[in-house]
Amino acid sequence: MVLPPAGALAASAQATPQTPPRLTYHHVWTDGQGVSHIATCPLTQFVLKSMSPPAGPQWQDRQPDGRATVLMTVQPPHWDGDWHEDPKVQWIVPLHGRWFVQAMDGTRVEMGPGDVLLGEDQNTRPLPSGPMQGRKGHLGGNVGDGAVDLMVVQMDIAPTVDRPCHFR
């Protein structure tokens, strides 16, 4: 199954001072059997307020506070991530180029600038049989011939199991 882009950029066109936006993100998560999946999830807890008065109000959906590390990465042309788990629970935002992620259940999503992915596929287990035998985590790689620039925000939190879309 191929999922459409999450549509993070489209939400800005929907927002008005009276109507909160609805952003979506893709979430790579692990079920109780250790198999990774990809869900498309909403962010819906927006509040209209200033981030720093006297700046004007803007819609904000504050995620849990905590320690985080921001990485800027450049995947060279034709980068192939092979099968692996995310090293930490991490938000991934493409800045330039297109890349893909495929879960162990076969679901695949392609993303470009403005799309958002939450990688949380720790705790996967290699599948004993079938077309994904021996694989764990997710497969990732570039789409097309160019490099892909990503912003990665790794959070210092424990990964969850059986909780798709747990960030709202």
Side-chain angles (χ1 to χ4, degrees):
M1 167 198 258
V2 177
L3 295 175
L9 285 179
S12 61
Q14 303 166 12
T16 70
Q18 297 78 31
T19 307
R22 179 185 163 111
L23 293 178
T24 56
Y25 66 96
H26 293 296
H27 183 196
V28 180
W29 61 281
T30 304
D31 68 21
Q33 288 71 51
V35 176
S36 65
H37 305 272
I38 302 175
T40 301
C41 308
L43 289 174
T44 59
Q45 306 298 314
F46 286 92
V47 174
L48 187 62
K49 66 179 190 174
S50 174
M51 284 180 71
S52 181
Q58 55 189 299
W59 291 106
Q60 301 173 41
D61 184 342
R62 187 175 184 94
Q63 299 302 309
D65 287 337
R67 186 174 141 86
T69 301
V70 177
L71 302 167
M72 306 303 276
T73 69
V74 178
Q75 296 171 178
H78 306 285
W79 181 80
D80 175 3
D82 209 347
W83 285 92
H84 65 283
E85 293 181 324
D86 287 298
K88 295 204 174 247
V89 178
Q90 57 190 17
W91 292 101
I92 304 170
V93 181
L95 303 173
H96 178 266
R98 293 191 61 74
W99 68 295
F100 76 91
V101 173
Q102 180 177 336
M104 295 165 65
D105 70 359
T107 304
R108 177 184 162 118
V109 63
E110 291 186 8
M111 291 165 283
D115 293 319
V116 178
L117 177 97
L118 176 63
E120 189 179 24
D121 64 353
Q122 297 83 1
N123 301 308
T124 59
R125 292 189 285 264
L127 293 175
S129 62
M132 300 289 180
Q133 180 177 359
R135 297 180 176 153
K136 62 183 278 183
H138 66 275
L139 176 66
N142 292 7
V143 175
D145 295 327
V148 176
D149 304 339
L150 302 171
M151 181 173 65
V152 180
V153 180
Q154 294 182 329
M155 297 177 288
D156 192 13
I157 61 173
T160 63
V161 174
D162 266 336
R163 290 195 55 207
C165 302
H166 65 98
F167 288 116
R168 295 287 177 171

